[in-house]
């Protein structure tokens, strides 16, 4: 674990006292203590490291902020005992849901957590100029260091406001009457606090990011007082990348006219009558396009690049799979615009030897020994989404993947694209998986798993396929038989869906011995592929669409995946805005699977009410034979009731315990 982005940060006793238990009860130091902390370079820098520690753990999809992965339609939990996950997915939560339970804590807590972070960022910004020394620097060098550190804190404050907005919609911004950020008032009257409008929130966040961008260095190594080993610290590119995300949100249907649904027409402040949401404005897409293009221009100057050319293989499929894996297994590659070392989780205590293990232990099958539980699986929808290698077309029809049964998408009734080459039924004998398992003998494969693109085989291990570990030389088989390597069990700690999710698991690495196993992974929170696909989306949606250029940027991720151009796979797509939009959304679904991107996409696009409400379809893992196990059923796995997502769920409720402090603040609709 490197020095900077580390959760367990050791602070001085004086600094530790600066933490606050309530964002409305900020415990500021008296002037003498503030001067003592900020006048010394080491304690001032410790304070900066402290405010970095609030960055959410989006990378932890099993039990931290990354819980949104399983909240979306890309994953399912096999751990039936995880009550919080089942509760949120079935809609059994409210503003009164306890913050004490582990999962609810990360779903409900951000309001208090990020306001605490925001207040401490403001304390830092207001006092860093007191610093009189740092590593023997003085004069202009010291002033430059303080300027950069202040920009970091300004970025983090804006980022934490963004984290609040993506969860709650409009939030309260601590500003004075001139719109300038201020330290929270110790004497603030909770009855007078109300949320700002969405436009006010976005304007504030974007303006703060712009100020930070102007002052931040291009590279971590450009910080004058530190070395290149302090990776994860914010750079100009990182701030520009977050600006792109915020601008995309601002332009997207939920926040920009609600897709013409009128969903939030009546959502007004009970204190001043202001409407929290405004009418549609196409120029917001133009603004987002400009933000993404600015970062692309920086990337193309040599600052960033897609991970490509990493493989020694001459096989096109294997090379594409190797490149995709290298994004996540090669720390600080040029595609990572902003990221951090995967932070160690505490679920397995002393058994953990390296960051990232909990995730792999959760994803891996029981054939990996003590490290395999397969508690988190891909959904059948994600499995179905990948393209076919030969044609480049997605297996199912764009924008119409499934028929419906009783008003719900039915994963057992796929609308197969007849031009894709995909077959939903049948078997192929003598099949050899095309990547990562040259050692494995030929086997009998279900036709739905044959002929898929490289990312499919790099991310998914279907029932009956070899597990990609040459040291084990075993196949993953999952149904109700003792002959299986991962036999079905009604309890947790086994695969309940029929497919494994191995995206974060490096090929040929074993989990037998946790204490000896090391896997230090950098989580690429925002990578260049996202900016390319952002820009493509903007080109589709902006006031003057440019569908030809949009294809150019979609093709950048497809080329890396070993696929043909989107306009070759779908002739005529450059003249069909709706079809290209669906292709763009499918490409994002595939490229960023498991990266805590899908949920926020589904929310901003306002498609979650349609896409999240399907039944819990799985393969028939209760079957007694391999052939029978490839039936699709919806009654083998149904923990906590049927999945649901209604209009109210687009915004999360402010917890009742917070509203008790702000008695006139308007709650989100439906709560």
């Amino acid at each position: 674990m490197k020095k900077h982005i580390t959760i367990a940060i050791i602070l001085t006793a004086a600094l530790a006292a600066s933490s606050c238990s309530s964002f409305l009860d900020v415990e500021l130091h008296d002037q003498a203590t503030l001067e003592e902390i900020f006048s010394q370079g080491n304690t001032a820098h410790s304070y900066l490291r402290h405010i970095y520690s609030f960055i959410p753990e989006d990378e932890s999809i099993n039990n931290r902020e990354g819980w949104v992965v399983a909240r979306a339609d890309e994953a399912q939990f096999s751990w039936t005992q995880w009550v919080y996950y089942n509760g949120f997915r079935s809609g059994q939560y409210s503003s009164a849901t306890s913050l004490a339970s582990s999962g609810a804590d990360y779903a409900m807590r951000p309001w208090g957590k990020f306001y605490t972070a925001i207040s401490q960022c403001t304390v830092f910004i207001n006092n860093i100029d007191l610093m009189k020394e740092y590593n023997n620097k003085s004069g202009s060098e010291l002033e430059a260091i303080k300027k950069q550190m202040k920009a970091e804190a300004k970025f983090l404050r804006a980022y934490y406001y963004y984290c609040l907005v993506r969860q709650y919609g409009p939030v309260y911004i601590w500003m004075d009457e001139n719109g300038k950020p201020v330290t929270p008032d110790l004497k603030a009257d909770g009855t007078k606090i109300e949320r700002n409008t969405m436009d006010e929130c976005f304007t504030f966040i974007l303006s703060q990011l712009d100020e930070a961008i102007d002052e931040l260095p291009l590279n971590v190594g450009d910080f004058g007082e530190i070395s290149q080993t302090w990776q994860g610290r914010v750079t100009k590119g990182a701030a520009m990348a977050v600006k792109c995300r915020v601008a995309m949100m601002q332009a997207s249907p939920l926040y920009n006219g609600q897709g013409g649904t009128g969903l939030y027409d009546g959502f007004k402040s009970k204190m001043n009558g202001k409407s929290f949401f405004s009418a549609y404005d196409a120029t917001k897409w133009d603004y987002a396009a400009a933000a993404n293009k600015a970062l692309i221009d920086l990337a193309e100057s040599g600052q960033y690049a897609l991970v490509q050319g990493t493989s020694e293989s001459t096989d096109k499929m294997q090379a594409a799979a190797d490149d995709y894996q290298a994004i996540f297994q090669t720390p600080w590659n040029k595609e990572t615009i902003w990221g951090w070392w995967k932070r160690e989780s505490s679920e397995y205590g002393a058994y953990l030897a390296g960051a990232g293990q909990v995730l792999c232990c959760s994803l891996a099958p029981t054939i990996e020994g003590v490290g395999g539980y397969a508690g988190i699986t891909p959904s059948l929808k994600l499995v179905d989404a990948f393209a076919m290698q030969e044609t480049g077309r997605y297996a199912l029809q764009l924008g119409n993947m499934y028929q419906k049964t009783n008003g719900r998408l039915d994963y057992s009734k796929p609308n197969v694209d007849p031009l894709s080459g995909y077959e939903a039924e049948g078997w192929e004998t003598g099949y050899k998986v095309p990547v990562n398992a040259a050692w494995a003998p030929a086997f009998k494969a279900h036709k739905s798993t044959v002929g898929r693109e490289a990312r499919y085989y790099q991310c998914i291990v279907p029932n009956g396929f070899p597990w990609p570990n040459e040291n084990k030389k075993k196949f993953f088989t999952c149904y109700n038989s003792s002959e299986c390597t991962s036999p079905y069990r009604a309890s947790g700690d086994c695969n309940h869906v029929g497919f494994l999710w191995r995206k974060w698991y490096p090929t040929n690495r074993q989990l037998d011995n946790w204490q000896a196993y090391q896997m230090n992974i950098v989580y690429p929170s925002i990578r260049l592929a996202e900016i390319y696909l952002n820009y493509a989306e903007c080109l589709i949606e902006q006031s003057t669409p440019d569908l030809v250029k949009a294809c150019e940027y979609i093709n950048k991720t497809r080329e890396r995946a070993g696929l043909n151009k989107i306009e070759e796979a779908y002739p005529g797509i450059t003249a069909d805005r709706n079809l290209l939009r669906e292709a763009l959304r499918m490409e994002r679904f595939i490229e960023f699977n498991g990266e805590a991107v899908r949920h926020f996409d589904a929310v901003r696009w306002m498609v979650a009410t349609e896409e999240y409400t399907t039944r819990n379809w799985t393969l028939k893992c209760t079957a007694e034979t391999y052939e029978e196990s490839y039936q699709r059923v919806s009654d083998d796995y149904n923990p906590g009731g049927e999945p649901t997502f209604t209009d109210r769920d687009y915004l999360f409720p402010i917890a009742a315990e917070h509203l008790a402090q702000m008695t006139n603040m308007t709650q989100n609709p439906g709560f």
Side-chain angles (χ1 to χ4, degrees), residues 165-317:
V165 167
R166 73 179 185 177
Q167 187 99 337
Y168 301 103
V171 297
Y172 170 61
I173 298 176
W174 268 311
M175 295 186 295
D176 63 19
E177 62 275 9
N178 298 314
K180 298 296 184 182
V182 295
T183 302
D185 187 352
L186 287 173
K187 299 178 182 179
D189 183 350
T191 65
K192 296 181 180 179
I193 292 176
E194 176 60 301
R195 306 161 82 163
N196 291 80
T197 66
M198 282 307 318
D199 282 345
E200 290 168 343
C201 290
F202 284 128
T203 297
F204 176 82
I205 295 169
L206 291 166
S207 67
Q208 291 290 290
L209 288 172
D210 280 339
E211 290 183 21
I213 289 167
D214 288 342
E215 305 295 345
L216 287 166
L218 270 176
N219 303 294
V220 169
D222 295 335
F223 283 103
E225 81 283 11
I226 61 174
S227 71
Q228 188 69 22
T229 61
W230 290 76
Q231 296 284 11
R233 211 165 168 179
V234 179
T235 61
K236 187 183 296 291
M240 293 173 72
V242 170
K243 178 181 177 180
C244 291
R245 278 194 174 176
V246 176
M248 295 294 288
M249 283 182 64
Q250 179 181 229
S252 295
L254 182 68
Y255 308 95
N256 187 16
Q258 300 86 63
T261 64
L263 177 61
Y264 295 132
D265 286 354
F267 185 22
K268 299 180 179 182
S269 169
K270 66 180 183 181
M271 186 180 296
N272 56 39
K274 279 187 179 181
S275 293
F276 287 115
F277 286 75
S278 58
Y280 176 73
D281 180 356
T283 64
K284 291 179 179 178
W285 282 112
D286 301 340
Y287 178 88
N292 283 279
K293 186 59 166 62
L295 184 48
I296 289 172
D297 290 343
L298 177 62
E300 294 180 349
S301 71
Q303 189 69 17
Y304 307 107
L306 293 181
V307 171
Q308 288 179 285
T310 66
S311 180
E312 297 179 358
S313 177
T314 58
D315 180 79
K316 180 180 178 180
M317 282 280 283

Side-chain angles (χ1 to χ4, degrees), residues 506-552:
T507 304
N508 295 330
R509 293 294 295 273
Q510 289 184 235
L511 292 173
D512 291 67
N513 188 339
W514 282 341
Q515 294 171 314
Y517 181 80
Q518 293 284 341
M519 187 181 69
N520 292 325
I521 288 179
V522 169
Y523 176 67
S525 177
I526 308 181
R527 51 191 180 92
L528 184 57
E530 179 179 343
I531 306 305
Y532 284 148
L533 292 180
N534 283 353
Y535 188 48
E537 183 176 350
C538 293
L539 291 169
I540 295 168
E541 304 296 347
Q542 65 186 12
S543 55
T544 305
D546 189 339
L547 304 190
V548 173
K549 184 173 285 188
C551 289
E552 175 187 337

Side-chain angles (χ1 to χ4, degrees), residues 427 443-446 463-464 479 624-630:
W427 296 89
F443 60 99
K444 184 178 182 179
H446 194 265
N463 183 16
Y479 47 97
E624 295 183 358
T625 66
Y626 176 47
E627 289 78 6
E628 186 187 5
S629 71
Y630 261 88

Side-chain angles (χ1 to χ4, degrees), residues 272-519:
N272 56 39
K274 279 187 179 181
S275 293
F276 287 115
F277 286 75
S278 58
Y280 176 73
D281 180 356
T283 64
K284 291 179 179 178
W285 282 112
D286 301 340
Y287 178 88
N292 283 279
K293 186 59 166 62
L295 184 48
I296 289 172
D297 290 343
L298 177 62
E300 294 180 349
S301 71
Q303 189 69 17
Y304 307 107
L306 293 181
V307 171
Q308 288 179 285
T310 66
S311 180
E312 297 179 358
S313 177
T314 58
D315 180 79
K316 180 180 178 180
M317 282 280 283
Q318 185 62 62
D322 289 344
D323 283 344
Y324 193 70
Q325 176 171 257
I327 300 168
F328 314 105
Q329 301 297 334
T330 306
W332 306 117
N333 57 69
K334 291 200 73 172
E335 186 166 338
T336 302
I337 300 175
W338 188 40
W340 47 81
W341 288 103
K342 252 183 181 301
R343 286 164 280 182
E344 186 129 333
S345 190
S346 61
E347 280 92 337
Y348 302 119
Y351 289 108
L352 281 169
Q357 273 191 251
V358 170
L359 185 57
C360 279
C361 294
S362 302
L363 299 177
T366 51
I367 57 177
E368 276 294 321
V370 295
Y373 291 120
I376 306 174
T377 64
S379 67
L380 293 189
K381 183 177 188 177
L382 176 60
V383 171
D384 289 340
F386 292 86
M388 303 301 292
Q389 176 63 30
E390 184 175 347
T391 65
R393 295 175 75 97
Y394 304 104
L396 306 187
Q397 294 178 18
L398 284 174
N400 185 30
M401 291 179 69
Y402 303 100
Q403 300 172 44
K404 289 185 178 181
T405 297
N406 297 325
R408 295 174 182 262
L409 297 177
D410 187 332
Y411 291 177
S412 71
K413 298 178 180 178
N415 290 318
V416 175
D417 180 345
L419 299 180
S420 68
Y422 175 78
E423 295 184 57
E425 301 292 342
W427 296 89
E428 181 164 324
T429 58
Y431 180 71
K432 290 247 333 163
V433 65
V435 303
N436 298 327
W439 55 266
F443 60 99
K444 184 178 182 179
H446 194 265
K447 284 194 173 182
S448 65
T449 66
V450 172
R452 310 302 289 274
E453 60 164 295
R455 288 176 297 187
Y456 176 93
Y457 300 109
Q458 189 59 47
C459 296
I460 307 295
V461 181
N463 183 16
F465 270 55
W467 175 248
N469 185 339
E470 188 170 5
N471 301 303
K472 288 284 185 180
K473 287 186 169 62
K474 289 188 176 182
F475 281 69
F476 162 65
T477 49
C478 174
Y479 47 97
N480 193 15
S481 172
S482 60
E483 70 182 27
C484 292
T485 55
S486 295
Y488 172 83
R489 293 195 300 270
S491 62
D493 292 349
C494 79
N495 189 294
H496 283 241
V497 175
F499 292 85
L500 290 169
W501 209 354
R502 54 103 5 165
K503 177 172 180 172
W504 299 98
Y505 178 94
T507 304
N508 295 330
R509 293 294 295 273
Q510 289 184 235
L511 292 173
D512 291 67
N513 188 339
W514 282 341
Q515 294 171 314
Y517 181 80
Q518 293 284 341
M519 187 181 69

